[in-house]
Amino acid sequence: MNSRRLKVAFVAAAMTLAGLAAAGPAAAATVPATAAVQERQSAVPVDFVDLPAGALVADGEQHQVTVTYRNDTSADRTVAPQLLVESPDAGPFLTPSDVIVEQRTAHGCWRPVETASQTGTLFTDLTGAQRTLHAGETLTQVYRITVVDPDAQGTVQPRIALY
């Protein structure tokens, strides 16, 4: 549990720093300090909804993972689907080259999804996956995971970030 919290805290901090780095010094200089703080706060998830995890199957075949979340609140909610591919606690640790992650587009095509790595956990970007989910709407994303390294071990943990 503490390991997961540490990972969540690291991802949140990394996402904030990545956003600041992408903005550049010139953009940061033109934004009032209070507006910049508010922007950073809204870009950081306040909670995650963990969905059922599954084993990372290292057979070279393509395996689909469906991430579904329904906004049961009466207000719009900003959400982002994310996949974590976690290494065993004692290693061997995963690298982005161990797996291929793809996402099905609205047109039924597959597009590659980049993964980053921290301490053997691979994760998909949250900032590009953010969307507003209106009251009563359901978000469904389909991913395809192919393990390239036959010795890779781990767990696929889909989740939804809540903002």
Side-chain angles (χ1 to χ4, degrees), residues 41-123:
Q41 288 174 343
S42 67
V44 177
V46 296
D47 200 5
F48 290 92
V49 176
D50 289 330
L51 303 173
L56 179 66
V57 182
D59 60 2
E61 299 293 320
Q62 299 169 335
H63 298 274
Q64 289 189 12
V65 175
T66 302
V67 177
T68 303
Y69 175 78
R70 181 170 174 75
N71 180 6
D72 288 329
T73 69
S74 60
D76 290 354
R77 173 166 243 168
T78 300
V79 300
Q82 184 179 49
L83 287 183
L84 299 177
V85 183
E86 298 180 345
S87 298
D89 288 337
F93 297 122
L94 296 166
T95 64
S97 61
D98 289 335
V99 300
I100 297 171
V101 179
E102 300 167 290
Q103 180 184 10
R104 188 174 5 197
T105 67
H107 302 293
C109 301
W110 293 98
R111 70 168 184 84
V113 176
E114 299 271 337
T115 57
S117 177
Q118 178 63 33
T119 333
T121 296
L122 306 178
F123 53 91

Side-chain angles (χ1 to χ4, degrees), residues 141-162:
Q141 293 288 322
V142 180
Y143 295 90
R144 186 165 68 181
I145 299 175
T146 307
V147 179
V148 179
D149 180 356
D151 294 326
Q153 300 174 30
T155 303
V156 178
Q157 172 64 58
R159 66 184 186 174
I160 300 291
L162 305 176

